[in-house]
Amino acid sequence: MHPHLLIEAQDRLLRITLNRTEDNGVSDSMASALSQLLLTAHERADAVLLRSAGPDFCTGRVRDAGTTPPTAEAYVRRDEYDGIFGSYQAMRGAKVPIVGVIEGRCMGFGAAIAALCDVSFAADSARFNIPEIGHNVMPTMVMSALYDRMNRNAVLWMAYSADFIAAERALAYGLVSQVVPAAQLDAEVERFLGLLLSRPRPALLGLKEYLRVAPRMDEQGAIDYARSLHSMVNTASAMKKKAH
């Protein structure tokens, strides 16, 4: 699929590892390949685990080697970023839940995809920032992933300051779901994955579908959609099996 992505299918879990260890960045081609994996993950798995070979989760977006230098024409240049924006859409649109594991630095694009994971675990030693403005780049690419994940004041403080924040503050801001001591991170992630994959597939798909669609509806629409999805999922044969 891509030399900087490691892929392992393990029963009902698809493990994807970012493996650009020379700088822990994510290139545009990596982002595009990740999109394809996520949008088809439901064909072979019930959940995705996304992490990095480390030591950092992601230090941001990097251009692929050998690509044409960016054009000065803004309308033409806009297409250059489709791989990044497409990966955000793929994370939102993936049918199965995505579980993220964050260690080390989580910067720019890394912060975006960490927030877009459906459930995320950060080591207590992890650090997060949005560094773009320090390079005279407006960070609206990252902000397009964060605007409905974090409160406005937190997003703007991170974007304006470019300061790193600790994992506990990232939890308070809504960037991650859980903060775990680094020594216990793998064990806690595996415990949760075992719990997650013990759930019926229709429930895994239905929960993500509802939270992808309902927030864009008005109140009555969200209620009616919940009623319909509730009836549809709870009558699925897989929901009738006894829990382990």
Side-chain angles (χ1 to χ4, degrees):
M1 173 63 73
H2 193 284
H4 289 141
L5 293 176
L6 301 180
I7 305 156
E8 179 188 359
Q10 183 184 49
D11 297 326
R12 297 170 64 198
L13 180 68
L14 182 64
R15 297 176 181 267
I16 302 175
T17 303
L18 307 177
N19 192 40
R20 188 183 164 106
T21 53
E22 62 266 32
D23 55 18
N24 295 132
V26 170
S27 67
D28 295 334
S29 61
M30 284 176 69
S32 295
L34 178 63
S35 298
Q36 295 176 37
L37 285 168
L38 295 177
L39 290 174
T40 58
H42 63 280
E43 297 173 2
R44 52 177 164 170
D46 290 345
V48 171
L49 180 70
L50 178 63
R51 66 186 313 165
S52 174
D56 297 310
F57 177 69
C58 175
T59 56
R61 172 200 178 234
V62 294
R63 288 175 54 82
D64 286 291
T67 54
T68 304
T71 176
E73 295 291 333
Y75 191 77
V76 177
R77 187 173 183 180
R78 185 173 62 173
D79 293 344
E80 177 187 344
Y81 310 117
D82 284 352
I84 299 299
F85 286 114
S87 68
Y88 297 163
Q89 291 176 317
M91 294 193 73
R92 293 180 187 274
K95 292 184 178 181
V96 296
I98 302 168
V99 178
V101 183
I102 296 93
E103 300 177 85
R105 293 178 296 171
C106 187
M107 305 169 62
F109 178 77
I113 60 173
L116 288 170
C117 287
D118 300 296
V119 177
S120 50
F121 294 84
D124 58 0
S125 54
R127 298 183 297 149
F128 302 75
N129 84 327
I130 302 174
E132 281 82 349
I133 204 167
H135 305 291
N136 290 336
V137 175
M138 190 171 71
T140 47
M141 292 177 72
V142 176
M143 292 172 72
S144 72
L146 301 180
Y147 75 91
D148 61 348
R149 270 20 188 204
M150 297 169 56
N151 72 61
R152 177 182 183 277
N153 297 55
V155 174
L156 285 175
W157 182 85
M158 289 188 70
Y160 283 136
S161 72
D163 287 349
F164 277 98
I165 61 170
E168 287 291 348
R169 184 178 291 187
L171 176 64
Y173 282 177
L175 262 171
V176 297
S177 306
Q178 295 287 326
V179 175
V180 181
Q184 301 170 24
L185 182 63
D186 288 344
E188 180 59 20
V189 169
E190 292 302 321
R191 184 197 71 81
F192 176 77
L193 288 173
L195 183 65
L196 180 68
L197 294 174
S198 72
R199 308 307 189 201
R201 178 178 171 89
L204 296 180
L205 302 184
L207 281 168
K208 179 157 185 180
E209 179 180 333
Y210 185 75
L211 284 180
R212 181 175 68 246
V213 177
R216 294 172 174 81
M217 294 179 163
D218 61 26
E219 180 181 0
Q220 188 59 53
I223 293 170
D224 289 344
Y225 185 48
R227 293 175 65 197
S228 297
L229 200 57
H230 182 271
S231 297
M232 183 173 67
V233 170
N234 286 323
T235 55
S237 58
M239 301 296 289
K240 306 300 181 184
K241 298 176 181 178
K242 293 183 179 180
H244 298 294

